[in-house]
Amino acid sequence: MKILYCIGSLAQTGGTEKVLANKANYFCKELGWEIHILINDQKNQPYAYSYDEKINMHDMKISSYLGTPTIPYFSYKILQKKALKLFEQKIKSISPDVIIVTQHGIEDFIIPKLHFDIPTIREFHFSKKAIWETANLISSPIARFLFILKKKRVLKKMNGYDHIVLLTKSDQNYGNYRTNTVVIPNMLDISTTEINQNLNNLNKKRVISVGSMHDMRKGFDIQIDLWEKVVSKHPDWKLDIYGDGKERKNLQKKIDSMRLSDNITLHGNTNEIMTKYKESSFFLMTSIAEGLPMVIIEAMSCGLPCISFDCPEGPKEIISDGHDGYVVQNNNTHILTDKVLDLIENQQTLERFSKNSLLKSSNYSIENVSKIWIEFFNSIKK
């Protein structure tokens, strides 16, 4: 196989970028496939994740073609025309078996317009329900309207591809997409054998949470309120939150005002997140909207039970309630607190959930998910 992935940049430490690195490296190293990654504009920034040296990187440097002064709508239209020619030339020279666009960008206005006899695939790393839930976080009616308008435009452009790869069956059933869809979950970058070696003694008295602080979608403010109740009963337990963004300062102010700085730490981003999982007792997620949370899968692969709101979309497709963690009714903070205290106070439940989490995470091992991708590629390859 010769695969061409298209992405805006490889500089961000997001789930989409990490999953792309996992897939590209595996397909290149283990299967010997020829992998190309066409980058919209890297802007001379380093890659957030490592890539095999045999993977072919193509930085299109699109922003260098945007003249000044810029009139947003008209300048973008002109840029699209220039980019169309650039992409067409590059794709013709690569001649891939499939073209995969991993996220929204100028590619959505280009790839469906190309007239090559090559299957085009659009990965969707969120979900339709999650879009509408995220819109509810925007307080300004005008900003909320513009956000929804933009997302509807994105969804419309996605229908121009031959296939859409979704993360969950829930989104496939709910979404009513107008083109061919297939469900393929995110993959870990480790094998089933490696997962089974990730034993955890769970005696750290630490709970971990991970996510972006760009907005309030991850619900870290809820965790801070919850932890005040936890500390009143278990003052020796700590909450470690990893991630960064513009809301971090506000979250730190909240922690300080509630005098919880000895029990809650905002660590920022880390390149050693798998190590941090192994230094914890269980994982907590309070997002109001997701695609298929990679952080839950990663935590489980380190033997961590997981507690999450039943947000759209994904947690309930990973966590089996009462078996390897708890899925709590969305926004029900009372039950959430009870479940957190339950794992803190019941070591046997914690250990049972931990063993089951390891077993569950093997469904997302690199070799198991890659089999689904291989079967899909074989079904659409010209």
Side-chain angles (χ1 to χ4, degrees):
M1 288 288 294
K2 186 191 293 188
I3 301 176
L4 172 62
Y5 287 102
C6 300
I7 192 168
S9 170
L10 296 176
Q12 288 74 35
T13 55
T16 301
E17 291 80 8
K18 188 166 189 177
V19 171
L20 173 57
N22 293 349
K23 290 184 293 190
N25 286 329
Y26 183 81
F27 293 152
C28 180
K29 289 181 183 178
E30 303 301 324
L31 303 183
W33 290 358
E34 184 178 330
I35 306 298
H36 294 258
I37 301 180
L38 195 155
I39 306 165
N40 188 323
D41 204 327
Q42 190 65 17
K43 296 182 179 178
N44 298 317
Q45 294 178 290
Y47 301 146
Y49 303 102
S50 60
Y51 292 85
D52 189 272
E53 60 182 11
K54 293 181 181 179
I55 294 174
N56 303 278
M57 299 293 190
H58 310 274
D59 188 353
M60 303 300 285
K61 302 183 185 297
I62 291 297
S63 62
S64 64
Y65 294 92
L66 187 61
T68 54
T70 60
I71 306 173
Y73 179 80
F74 293 102
S75 295
Y76 198 65
K77 283 293 184 182
I78 293 171
L79 182 61
Q80 284 178 32
K81 291 183 179 180
K82 292 180 179 178
L84 179 60
K85 293 182 180 179
L86 290 169
F87 276 65
E88 195 170 35
Q89 292 171 358
K90 179 61 71 174
I91 292 172
K92 187 176 181 179
S93 67
I94 296 171
S95 187
D97 293 315
V98 293
I99 301 171
I100 306 175
V101 176
T102 62
Q103 59 187 197
H104 174 61
I106 199 170
E107 296 87 350
D108 281 336
F109 298 90
I110 293 172
I111 300 301
K113 293 180 180 179
L114 297 176
H115 299 293
F116 298 117
D117 190 22
I118 302 171
T120 58
I121 301 166
R122 178 62 154 80
E123 295 182 3
F124 189 27
H125 288 269
F126 212 39
S127 69
K128 281 193 175 181
K129 275 188 180 179
I131 287 176
W132 315 140
E133 290 291 340
T134 303
N136 292 331
L137 285 175
I138 305 172
S139 56
S140 166
I142 296 175
R144 184 165 59 251
F145 171 77
L146 293 175
F147 174 85
I148 293 173
L149 189 66
K150 178 182 178 181
K151 295 303 180 183
K152 284 185 175 180
R153 192 181 184 199
V154 171
L155 293 170
K156 184 178 179 180
K157 292 295 180 184
M158 284 169 53
N159 288 320
Y161 291 84
D162 297 322
H163 305 272
I164 302 176
V165 174
L166 304 172
L167 293 175
T168 65
K169 291 182 179 178
S170 297
D171 188 36
Q172 187 182 43
N173 294 333
Y174 169 85
N176 193 28
Y177 295 95
R178 297 179 183 176
T179 189
N180 300 312
T181 61
V182 62
V183 176
I184 305 179
N186 289 328
M187 68 160 65
L188 293 161
D189 62 349
I190 55 178
S191 66
T192 302
T193 301
E194 291 171 305
I195 290 172
N196 292 334
Q197 294 172 349
N198 281 341
L199 299 177
N200 195 321
N201 62 27
L202 307 173
N203 295 321
K204 313 295 192 308
K205 293 187 177 182
R206 309 188 79 92
V207 175
I208 186 171
S209 189
V210 183
S212 168
M213 297 177 185
H214 176 69
D215 53 30
M216 301 301 288
R217 180 166 64 89
K218 299 295 182 179
F220 292 127
D221 56 326
I222 297 172
Q223 296 184 19
I224 295 169
D225 291 333
L226 179 154
W227 215 252
E228 184 179 40
K229 299 172 185 176
V230 170
V231 169
S232 68
K233 292 188 175 183
H234 303 280
D236 53 344
W237 275 75
K238 313 289 183 183
L239 174 62
D240 296 310
I241 302 177
Y242 290 87
D244 208 348
K246 62 183 181 181
E247 291 295 333
R248 183 176 175 182
K249 290 183 179 179
N250 294 329
L251 292 170
Q252 188 61 58
K253 287 179 182 178
K254 184 177 178 70
I255 292 169
D256 294 339
S257 67
M258 295 175 69
R259 298 182 179 180
L260 292 171
S261 56
D262 289 338
N263 293 86
I264 304 176
T265 305
L266 304 182
H267 292 274
N269 292 327
T270 177
N271 292 324
E272 302 295 331
I273 193 62
M274 299 303 282
T275 300
K276 304 305 178 184
Y277 288 133
K278 295 174 185 178
E279 295 172 352
S280 309
S281 295
F282 60 92
F283 179 84
L284 177 64
M285 196 178 81
T286 48
S287 294
I288 64 116
E290 288 289 338
L292 184 74
M294 192 67 192
V295 288
I296 292 180
I297 298 171
E298 290 176 339
M300 281 187 159
S301 75
C302 293
L304 293 192
C306 296
I307 301 176
S308 172
F309 279 145
D310 184 17
C311 69
E313 204 82 58
K316 66 183 177 183
E317 294 202 15
I318 308 172
I319 304 170
S320 297
D321 186 51
H323 180 74
D324 43 43
Y326 291 120
V327 181
V328 177
Q329 180 185 14
N330 217 11
N331 296 317
N332 193 324
T333 55
H334 297 294
I335 295 179
L336 183 71
T337 303
D338 290 343
K339 296 304 182 182
V340 168
L341 290 173
D342 180 61
L343 287 190
I344 288 175
E345 296 168 357
N346 293 285
Q347 184 67 22
Q348 287 185 337
T349 301
L350 193 66
E351 292 176 357
R352 176 166 56 87
F353 282 8
S354 175
K355 293 176 182 177
N356 293 335
S357 291
L358 283 177
L359 292 173
K360 175 67 69 62
S361 66
S362 64
N363 294 336
Y364 306 93
S365 68
I366 198 161
E367 71 268 32
N368 285 336
V369 178
S370 67
K371 290 177 183 177
I372 305 174
W373 275 106
I374 292 168
E375 183 178 346
F376 173 55
F377 287 144
N378 289 334
S379 71
I380 67 171
K381 186 178 177 182
K382 297 291 183 180

